[in-house]
């Protein structure tokens, strides 16, 4: 038996099997497509695959985002920032997986859709759903980002969870920052801590005696991410190697880090030199650089001949005597002179002070 499908003033002959109407979009993942007439539609894609185990605070963050979205009456925005491989995409996927269990679908935005047609299309999807903007600041330029603000404002009646991931939050439109009405949560993903590394290695590393060494090596990086950790463990397990041997060929090099900064403390024969007299007073780079670290100071600032009173020291990796991974501290000693480098932590506001 044939059926006639009406579209405006036109009718098309169609088989019964071709008619599959739903009053709700089924749970699953979709991307937006555009036909030859400029009409937008959804195409189903593969579902996200859950991890066997979530590490760190990913599970608690997932629960909080899901609960907040379900509790709030309208739109909720979440921005996850951090370098590639830091775990932000894993968290966004996990949120989508948990909401799919409750019948809520996910629409993945993989092109710079914006403007009235896009907004109208999103408004036509009246049921609750997740909208994922992956690498938002790379997909959308500054002008296109502005056009998304109306969507994030929640002026449309439908309930949406907007999840944006970005590598650089400073490239995101300024009108999204400090605006909980648009972006309710903003989470910064930094390098992995020793607790996370230890937990993951206990579950996945065959030779757990190397865990402490991995933690020390991780402190060489400004941000040691999950991709790096996973690759190191995989390589060590495959070839029964030490962390140092595994890293020899991996694309994970501390010298690629550009933003690692250390406070400098110099103790010359038991006397701590004032930081104001040191040159340099802070160190940027890899503490185990093959070039070594050169630190100098004027032992007699009142002298007229600086050349005679200037003392300079070079510390190579062979002079390293201790590493405190948790504190990001490296201690070198050579001929009675000690150099202590302490990684400068990113500035955060202490709300507990109030």
């Amino acid at each position: 038996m044939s059926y006639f499908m009406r579209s405006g003033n036109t009718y098309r002959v169609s088989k019964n099997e071709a008619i599959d109407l739903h009053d709700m979009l089924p749970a699953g993942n979709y991307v937006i497509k555009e036909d030859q007439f400029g009409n937008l539609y959804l195409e189903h894609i593969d579902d996200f695959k859950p991890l066997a185990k979530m590490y760190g605070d990913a599970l608690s963050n997932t629960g909080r985002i899901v609960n907040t979205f379900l509790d709030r009456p309208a739109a909720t925005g979440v921005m996850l920032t951090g370098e590639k491989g830091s775990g932000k995409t894993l968290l966004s996927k996990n949120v989508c997986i948990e909401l799919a269990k409750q019948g809520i679908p996910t629409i993945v935005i993989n092109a710079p859709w914006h403007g009235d047609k896009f907004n109208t299309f999103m408004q036509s999807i009246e049921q609750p759903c997740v909208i994922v903007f992956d690498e938002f600041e790379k997909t959308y330029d500054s002008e296109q980002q502005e056009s998304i603000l109306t969507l994030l404002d929640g002026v449309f009646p439908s309930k949406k969870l907007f999840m944006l991931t970005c590598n650089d939050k400073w490239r995101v439109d300024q009108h999204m920052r400090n605006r909980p009405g648009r972006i309710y949560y903003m989470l910064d993903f930094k390098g992995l801590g020793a607790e996370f590394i230890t937990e993951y290695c206990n579950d996945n590393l065959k030779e757990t005696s190397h865990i402490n060494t991995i933690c020390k090596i991780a402190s060489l990086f400004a941000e040691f991410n999950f991709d790096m950790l996973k690759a190191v463990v995989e390589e060590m397990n495959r070839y029964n190697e030490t962390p140092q041997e595994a890293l020899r060929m991996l694309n994970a090099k501390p010298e690629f880090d550009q933003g690692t900064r250390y406070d400098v403390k110099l103790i010359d024969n038991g006397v701590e030199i004032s930081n104001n007299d040191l040159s340099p007073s802070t160190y940027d780079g890899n503490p185990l650089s093959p070039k070594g670290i050169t630190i100098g100071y004027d032992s007699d600032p009142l002298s007229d001949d600086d050349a005679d009173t200037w003392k300079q020291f070079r510390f190579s990796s062979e002079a390293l005597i201790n590493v405190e991974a948790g504190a990001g501290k490296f201690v070198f000693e050579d001929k009675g002179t000690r150099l202590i480098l302490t990684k400068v932590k990113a500035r955060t506001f202490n709300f507990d002070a109030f």
Side-chain angles (χ1 to χ4, degrees), residues 65 69 74-80 109 118 122 129-133 148 150-156 158-165 182-185:
I65 292 170
F69 168 64
T76 299
V78 176
M79 181 171 291
L80 311 176
I109 306 299
F118 172 64
M122 298 307 297
C129 61
V130 186
I131 314 296
V132 175
F133 295 85
I148 294 295
T150 302
L151 195 65
L152 299 177
D153 278 334
V155 296
F156 301 125
S158 56
K159 184 182 176 77
K160 301 287 193 298
L161 174 61
F162 297 103
M163 296 200 68
L164 294 74
T165 71
R182 288 173 175 158
I183 303 296
Y184 192 76
Y185 287 139

Side-chain angles (χ1 to χ4, degrees), residues 305-339:
D305 191 350
D306 292 341
D308 290 342
T309 59
W310 183 258
K311 299 184 69 174
Q312 187 164 287
F313 307 88
R314 179 183 177 276
F315 297 88
S316 66
S317 58
E318 287 76 17
L320 182 69
I321 62 172
N322 187 43
V323 176
E324 296 180 26
K329 182 180 290 186
F330 297 79
V331 182
F332 300 81
E333 191 166 303
D334 186 27
K335 299 177 182 178
T337 303
R338 177 169 291 201
L339 171 67

Side-chain angles (χ1 to χ4, degrees), residues 218-238:
S219 65
L220 292 172
F221 295 80
E223 294 183 0
F224 188 76
N225 61 45
F226 183 70
D227 277 0
M228 295 178 186
L229 175 61
K230 185 179 178 182
V232 169
V233 170
E234 177 185 331
E235 198 76 352
M236 290 174 65
N237 287 342
R238 180 180 293 118

Side-chain angles (χ1 to χ4, degrees), residues 23 29 31 69 72 84 98 105 113 115 124 130 161 184 223-224 227 244 246 258 260 312 315 337 348 354:
D23 58 355
N29 294 342
V31 292
F69 168 64
R72 302 185 81 223
K84 275 183 171 294
E98 290 303 310
W113 297 107
S124 69
V130 186
L161 174 61
Y184 192 76
E223 294 183 0
F224 188 76
D227 277 0
Q244 297 91 326
Q258 300 298 319
T260 315
Q312 187 164 287
F315 297 88
T337 303
T348 55
F354 291 86

Side-chain angles (χ1 to χ4, degrees), residues 261-331:
R261 171 163 291 187
Y262 296 87
D263 285 330
V264 174
K265 179 187 289 187
L266 186 70
I267 303 174
D268 186 13
N269 290 312
V271 178
E272 182 177 339
I273 309 304
S274 171
N275 188 261
N276 294 329
D277 296 331
L278 294 176
S279 179
S281 57
T282 59
Y283 172 76
D284 295 279
N286 177 9
L288 301 185
S289 168
K291 297 184 295 184
I293 304 169
T294 301
I295 304 291
Y297 75 97
D298 190 352
S299 61
D300 187 2
L302 300 179
S303 172
D304 293 331
D305 191 350
D306 292 341
D308 290 342
T309 59
W310 183 258
K311 299 184 69 174
Q312 187 164 287
F313 307 88
R314 179 183 177 276
F315 297 88
S316 66
S317 58
E318 287 76 17
L320 182 69
I321 62 172
N322 187 43
V323 176
E324 296 180 26
K329 182 180 290 186
F330 297 79
V331 182

Side-chain angles (χ1 to χ4, degrees), residues 24-213:
M24 297 283 285
L25 184 65
N29 294 342
Y30 303 85
V31 292
I32 297 176
K33 298 282 188 173
E34 187 175 22
D35 64 21
Q36 67 269 32
F37 304 108
N39 299 311
L40 302 182
Y41 65 94
L42 296 175
E43 182 176 282
H44 187 267
I45 59 175
D46 292 339
D47 293 338
F48 295 135
K49 304 299 182 185
L51 290 178
K53 180 178 178 180
M54 299 293 289
Y55 293 91
D57 54 6
L59 200 58
S60 62
N61 286 339
T62 296
R64 182 156 182 157
I65 292 170
V66 168
N67 291 337
T68 298
F69 168 64
L70 295 176
D71 186 62
R72 302 185 81 223
T76 299
V78 176
M79 181 171 291
L80 311 176
T81 74
E83 292 297 325
K84 275 183 171 294
S86 59
K88 60 185 185 300
T89 301
L90 290 177
L91 176 58
S92 67
K93 288 181 178 179
N94 200 49
V95 168
C96 297
I97 290 170
E98 290 303 310
L99 286 173
K101 296 176 183 177
Q102 304 191 40
I104 297 176
T106 292
I107 300 174
V108 179
I109 306 299
N110 58 1
W113 297 107
H114 67 285
D116 292 339
K117 183 169 70 173
F118 172 64
N119 289 348
T120 301
F121 179 75
M122 298 307 297
Q123 184 182 6
S124 69
I125 305 172
E126 298 178 348
Q127 71 188 86
C129 61
V130 186
I131 314 296
V132 175
F133 295 85
D134 197 26
E135 295 194 323
F136 177 74
E137 87 282 23
K138 292 185 178 180
T139 304
Y140 288 83
D141 61 28
S142 57
E143 184 176 338
Q144 292 167 341
Q145 289 184 28
E146 285 189 18
S147 69
I148 294 295
L149 297 180
T150 302
L151 195 65
L152 299 177
D153 278 334
V155 296
F156 301 125
S158 56
K159 184 182 176 77
K160 301 287 193 298
L161 174 61
F162 297 103
M163 296 200 68
L164 294 74
T165 71
C166 69
N167 296 341
D168 185 358
K169 63 185 177 183
W170 301 109
R171 287 178 57 193
V172 172
D173 189 278
Q174 61 177 338
H175 297 104
M176 295 184 191
R177 302 196 291 265
N178 284 348
R179 291 293 297 273
R182 288 173 175 158
I183 303 296
Y184 192 76
Y185 287 139
M186 179 175 283
L187 283 75
D188 282 323
F189 285 73
K190 302 298 183 183
L192 305 182
E195 182 179 348
F196 185 109
I197 294 171
T198 300
E199 182 182 2
Y200 182 84
C201 289
N202 276 325
D203 286 345
N204 298 279
L205 184 62
K206 292 179 181 178
E207 185 51 68
T208 56
S209 62
H210 292 300
I211 291 178
N212 187 52
T213 302

